[in-house]
Amino acid sequence: MSKILVLNGPNLNLLGTRQPEVYGSTTLAMVEANCIAHGEKLGLSVTCHQSNHEGALVDAIHEARTTHAGIVLNAGAYTHTSIALMDAIASAELPVVEVHLSNIHAREAFRHRSYIAPVALGQIAGFGAQGYLMALDALKVHLSESGAE
Ligand code: CA2
């Protein structure tokens, strides 16, 4: 069974506790449990990790290279700043689906730029917690079509 890493970046540990009007009321623990359950339906083994630290996210991507078949990544604000994450994804040579709870393109201009998008399989933004499940669906189709599973 293919393993998928659901990786969340800075401040996403606060999900469901503050700013529900922007990020919804689903907690990170609920998002992760839903991803694991949805993965089981798809025949994917989902593991989850969150860090507030850029280097720890880089480490998690490096480690996934040998243990996982793909990554669902919400890099939080590092999306808009991190060349280190972009380089880590490019070097991992794993399919990455970029997820954002909010529609970053309908928000402040500084959120429109993503350093992840050029090295990602695709981007899902604006569908709240459902976006993570959509990303798993997309990875499942990609892995099947590319003969990776
Ligand atoms: O919409 C998204 O998923 C974001 O990646 C969330 C980031 C933001 O910087 C990106 O531009 C878009 C922020 C995550 C902060 O999460 C919080 C959740 C609850 C309360 C406070 C922050």
Side-chain angles (χ1 to χ4, degrees), residues 10-12 14-16 18-19 23 74 76-77 79-80 99-102 104 107 111:
N11 296 309
L12 286 156
L14 300 176
L15 262 189
R18 288 170 225 171
Q19 293 180 265
Y23 298 118
N74 185 347
T79 302
H80 319 299
V99 170
H100 298 285
L101 295 149
S102 62
I104 55 174
R107 299 183 65 192
R111 294 188 204 274

Side-chain angles (χ1 to χ4, degrees), residues 109-129:
F110 66 84
R111 294 188 204 274
H112 298 177
R113 175 171 201 173
S114 168
Y115 282 96
I116 310 299
V119 289
L121 197 58
Q123 183 191 72
I124 296 167
F127 295 99

Side-chain angles (χ1 to χ4, degrees), residues 16-72:
T17 65
R18 288 170 225 171
Q19 293 180 265
E21 67 287 356
V22 184
Y23 298 118
S25 53
T26 310
T27 64
L28 182 62
M30 289 158 72
V31 168
E32 292 180 345
N34 290 342
C35 285
I36 290 166
H38 193 67
E40 279 169 14
K41 284 184 209 156
L42 295 173
L44 299 172
S45 170
V46 172
T47 65
C48 302
H49 185 63
Q50 186 272 334
S51 178
N52 293 321
H53 304 281
E54 188 175 15
L57 294 167
V58 169
D59 286 343
I61 293 165
H62 288 178
E63 283 167 30
R65 185 176 194 277
T66 53
T67 54
H68 289 71
I71 303 176
V72 173

Side-chain angles (χ1 to χ4, degrees), residues 2 4-6 34-46 69-73 95-99 121-124 127 129-146 149:
S2 295
I4 303 296
L5 174 65
V6 173
N34 290 342
C35 285
I36 290 166
H38 193 67
E40 279 169 14
K41 284 184 209 156
L42 295 173
L44 299 172
S45 170
V46 172
I71 303 176
V72 173
L73 174 64
V96 172
V97 178
E98 176 183 0
V99 170
L121 197 58
Q123 183 191 72
I124 296 167
F127 295 99
Q130 182 71 20
Y132 289 84
L133 309 186
M134 295 161 77
L136 288 171
D137 289 339
L139 272 178
K140 175 70 187 181
V141 171
H142 174 80
L143 291 172
S144 300
E145 285 183 349
S146 63
E149 64 165 13

